[in-house]
Amino acid sequence: MPRPPASLLFATLGSLTLAVPAPALLAGLAPPSSSEGVSFDRDVKPIFAARCSSCHGPDKQRGGLRLDRKTDAFAGGDSGAALIPGKPGESLLLKRVESTDPALRMPPKGDPLTAAEQAALRAWVEQGAKWPVAAGGKESGADHWSLRPVIRPPILSTSAPIGGGHNPIDAFVRVRLDAAGLKPSPEADRRTLIRRLKFDLIGLPPTPEEVEAFEKDTTPGAYERLVETFLASPHFGERWARHWLDVVRFAESHGFEMNWERANAWPYRDYVIKAFNDDKPYDRFVMEQLAGDSMGADEATGFIVGGPWDQVMSPDPVLTAQQRADELHDMVGTTGSAFLGLTVGCARCHNHKFDPVSQVDYYRLKAVFAGVRHGERPWRPEEGANELTAAKGELAKVDTALAALEPLADPKLKAARRLPVNPRVNVDRFAPVTASAVRFVILGTNENEPCVDELEVYPAGAGTRMLDPTGFKLRSSGDYPRAPTIHRLEFLTDGKYGNGRSWISNEPGRGWVEVEFKQPVEIDRVVWGRDREGRYTDRLPTRYRVDVWTPVFEWVTVASSDDRLLFGAPAPSAPPGLAPADRETWARLTTTRVELRRKLADLDRAGLVYAGKLTSPEATFRLHRGDPTQPREPVGPGVLSAIGPKLDLTPDAPDPQRRLALARWITDPANPLPARVIVNRLWQGHMGMGLVSTPSDLGRNGGSPTHPELLDWLAAELMKPGSPAGGGREPRPAPWSLKHIHRLIVTSAVYRQSSVSTPDGLAKDAQSQLLWRYPPRRLEAEAIRDSILFVSGTLDLRMGGPGFSLFEPTGTYVRVFTPKKQFGPPEFRRMVYMHKTRMQADDTFGAFDCPDGGQITPRRNASTTPLQALNLLNGEFLLQQAGYLAGRVQRDARADAPGQVTGVFRLAFQRKPSEKELTAGVKLVEGHGLPALCRAVLNANEFLYVD
């Protein structure tokens, strides 16, 4: 049936399909009245940070003043005091910001302050211009709200908490609503609640059966039981791991121009999923990511090296030093933003301009990571070790059996009786001969200079035991000069497979290598390959001969390519020269070998983890202006001097000790930042925006909390829980339990509010920052893709292990990632298991604001673009899944069109269609088929948004 045009889908089901929404209302919060009370942190400081930090005034004695600094603002400059508490009319700052004269108006550049901002400043000055100062009376960045100790605030009293319950969150929010003259929204209907809750906690839509059961369950505690069910789901960790992986810039390729894959980065992703599922205490979670090698969690340090890495090493020492400085900068910056919520990286070249982070502090942190380098290190889950050993033993037996069946090479025979050469492994078996050396002579290749991964020689009748290469003397016709670190003659017999340890000739299409033994030995087999790991197929010797040095002091040819089928010709399933009686055995063994190689490839990948190479720390120096060529005084490992407890480390402390000490400093309860940062991230994950809008920057240049008391209460509750979430008799939660905070948030009446807007709410708080309603939002790319697979019935819920790729395989030196156009079961897993490639998004869902791992993404954008609509309407993946959804409905529903329309709506929206929707849907099905309806429904706002 021809595909219906998009215009027909929009015309037929216009109320459902995705459309670009009207521009968001831009109105800000209503200006506070003088009677309401103005908070410096909440109402005034954001204006100074965003609008006045560039306002400089003349001051002959100090050379310049800044109005976002308390001492400068009150003292003023040559023109007098900028602020006079209680006297807005005499305050120079108010005169300037309210002036209409461009020559006098402040700020001097950009738009003038809005009426709301001017009103907030005036009210603040009228009330005495109270500007908090740190303990001790010294003004510095350390007086900032986020750097003050976390003190549990009293639960604010209110005559009517939202929902009338006992969740402290509701009381804190109600106080702010009352002050703004706003009323909370009523509770959402039960279908909306279960959809919202399951998407938030698991990232999948509920089934029609789950919705119906919840709607019918009117017993007390039904919602709370649903919360516990979803928190206990193993898919909870998959959902929340994706949020964290954005924060720590996790990806599975190096980035930069080569952008090679990191085949063994996935254990870190699985570690995060398991940590969230197990409700690992957050302090332990932080510590393991910095020092997991000392805590039995090697894979966790994948956090440190999760960022981009320039793998092209330069012989230029200046460039090499710059590359290393950039690597360490990424480690320092991400640690600061992820755990501390500070832009520590801004102190690389000079003292931080806003926060109390000196340049020396930056280099102290850099010294902590001075022993960490990008790369893999051994790692094996205990459960996989025995399986790997067994699989290797089985493969060795199969290889031995196949070698015994291999027809003997006959260099005098020109007729083909053996299989053509292949890049992975080739066996040349010959009659036993005594030799003291073997020479492998290459006469032709499929392209370029020939490459040999490993050359193995076997004693006669030895089975799987090859000659011990210890003491071998190696010679060659000439060695490849351009990559001496990975292509060397000694790698020919080192027993390590792969292109990264191989030999290449210096002549295109030809060359020879020679292996001389310690003493003559009887041999009957030579095994060689271009790349035993099977990744590379170029530089393959296609014409060759094997010579041996005999006791009569002459070279004798014992095997050659002359009796093999030509390379590139269609290959039969067994060697032509194989005896008929052996063909069935050959086929069985070959199939077994393929299966074992595939199994070993998976297990071998599990044998390494991209979690950093841990070495002896290099010396660290403060770099003038951040320039590696201008080192100054040496700097030992340490932490931020103005924050939290002090750290006692000697300059020569070993690498593990440095990182473990940093981890303990970060998670010390005296450090005010980590708890505030993580509870704000959790709030953002549930509400769309954090209590602080800049989740990885709680410093002076970041946002101010909309509900500062609530933020501190949650931070204190995380570190030392005061009571169960509902105030009942359940056991007291464990300290640092993230699930406890999740539970508090989603069981609050604030979270359970309807998302329906009201004119009064939009007029006073268009962005719903005061939480008078639940803020509706579109699902992220991962949740959209997973939901499409879920409702179509194709989602593979298998967890863990190496991920799938949405790109065609590539073997080029500089990786070029071509998106797949066809999708099958391997690509139908949850998107968190997609191999995350830097600098290249997949064709369909990359348009939905997916970060590429090039830098941290504390909060995703939420754009609406034509490309998103085109991808979901016409993309091959969507068309395919619409067909699967239609097939599912046709199997489960009645054969008539109304029954099919109802079936589609139940699966996608967990409700029945309205009469209007049913009529339109039937018309579309009868005119263009059920897949057309499924295609429209999967593009519906109701499917793509959570409200």
Side-chain angles (χ1 to χ4, degrees), residues 46-66:
I47 301 174
F48 282 164
R51 309 299 300 278
C52 299
S53 61
S54 60
C55 297
H56 295 262
D59 184 343
K60 296 177 181 178
Q61 293 184 348
R62 284 176 287 174
L65 60 87
R66 287 175 46 146

Side-chain angles (χ1 to χ4, degrees), residues 149-214:
V150 175
I151 300 174
R152 182 188 295 268
I155 297 174
L156 301 177
S157 61
T158 176
S159 57
I162 301 175
H166 302 286
N167 192 314
I169 290 174
D170 301 325
F172 286 110
V173 172
R174 185 58 189 261
V175 168
R176 288 285 284 126
L177 291 178
D178 289 346
L182 286 168
K183 294 182 178 179
S185 298
E187 184 168 292
D189 63 82
R190 293 177 83 78
R191 171 182 163 274
T192 298
L193 280 179
I194 188 173
R195 278 177 55 87
R196 180 187 301 170
L197 185 67
K198 192 171 181 184
F199 273 123
D200 266 6
L201 294 182
I202 295 182
L204 295 172
T207 64
E209 294 75 17
E210 286 175 326
V211 173
E212 292 167 3
F214 182 56

Side-chain angles (χ1 to χ4, degrees), residues 454-711:
E454 199 76 11
L455 189 67
E456 299 171 343
V457 183
Y458 287 79
T464 61
R465 181 175 53 83
M466 67 179 179
L467 280 182
D468 181 0
T470 304
F472 281 3
K473 293 181 180 179
L474 302 178
R475 286 181 284 272
S476 74
S477 57
D479 304 332
Y480 191 64
R482 292 172 56 187
T485 59
I486 62 174
H487 302 300
R488 301 168 64 172
L489 181 60
E490 57 262 39
F491 291 162
L492 191 69
T493 58
D494 66 351
K496 297 179 180 179
Y497 296 155
N499 179 75
R501 296 184 68 87
S502 59
W503 170 82
I504 295 182
S505 169
N506 65 343
E507 299 179 72
R510 61 190 304 107
W512 56 263
V513 287
E514 181 182 316
V515 178
E516 182 182 347
F517 314 143
K518 291 183 292 185
Q519 58 188 19
V521 61
E522 189 177 47
I523 62 174
D524 67 357
R525 190 178 5 144
V526 171
V527 179
W528 63 275
R530 184 268 178 261
D531 178 13
R532 298 288 284 270
E533 292 179 339
R535 296 179 182 178
Y536 291 86
T537 59
D538 61 344
R539 303 181 183 275
L540 171 66
T542 55
R543 294 177 52 242
Y544 69 92
R545 70 173 189 264
V546 179
D547 297 340
V548 298
W549 184 252
T550 66
V552 295
F553 306 107
E554 64 178 353
W555 288 105
V556 175
T557 300
V558 294
S560 76
S561 56
D562 290 346
D563 63 343
R564 288 185 179 274
L565 291 167
L566 291 177
F567 174 74
S573 59
L578 191 66
D582 294 328
R583 291 183 178 274
E584 183 178 343
T585 303
W586 180 278
R588 175 176 54 79
L589 291 172
T590 301
T591 301
T592 302
R593 182 167 63 179
V594 170
E595 294 172 351
L596 286 171
R597 281 178 174 172
R598 186 181 298 118
K599 183 177 181 179
L600 274 173
D602 291 340
L603 292 172
D604 279 342
R605 277 194 295 271
L608 291 172
V609 60
Y610 198 96
K613 295 180 178 178
L614 308 178
T615 64
S616 179
E618 62 202 49
T620 301
F621 299 87
R622 184 180 65 83
L623 304 180
H624 181 58
R625 296 182 177 179
D627 185 351
T629 66
Q630 300 188 61
R632 294 299 190 260
E633 72 277 7
V635 179
V639 293
L640 307 185
S641 55
I643 301 171
K646 304 305 177 185
L647 192 64
D648 185 19
L649 272 178
T650 60
D652 60 349
D655 167 65
Q657 185 179 334
R658 297 180 182 208
R659 290 180 288 106
L660 187 59
L662 173 63
R664 287 171 174 159
W665 173 82
I666 289 177
T667 56
D668 191 305
N671 190 328
L673 288 166
R676 284 187 174 117
V677 170
I678 190 59
V679 297
N680 188 60
R681 294 195 195 282
L682 299 189
W683 189 273
Q684 174 181 284
H686 289 295
M687 298 295 190
M689 180 181 290
L691 295 167
V692 181
S693 61
T694 52
S696 285
D697 185 5
L698 271 60
R700 295 179 69 206
N701 216 29
S704 293
T706 56
H707 300 73
E709 296 84 3
L710 174 56
L711 179 64

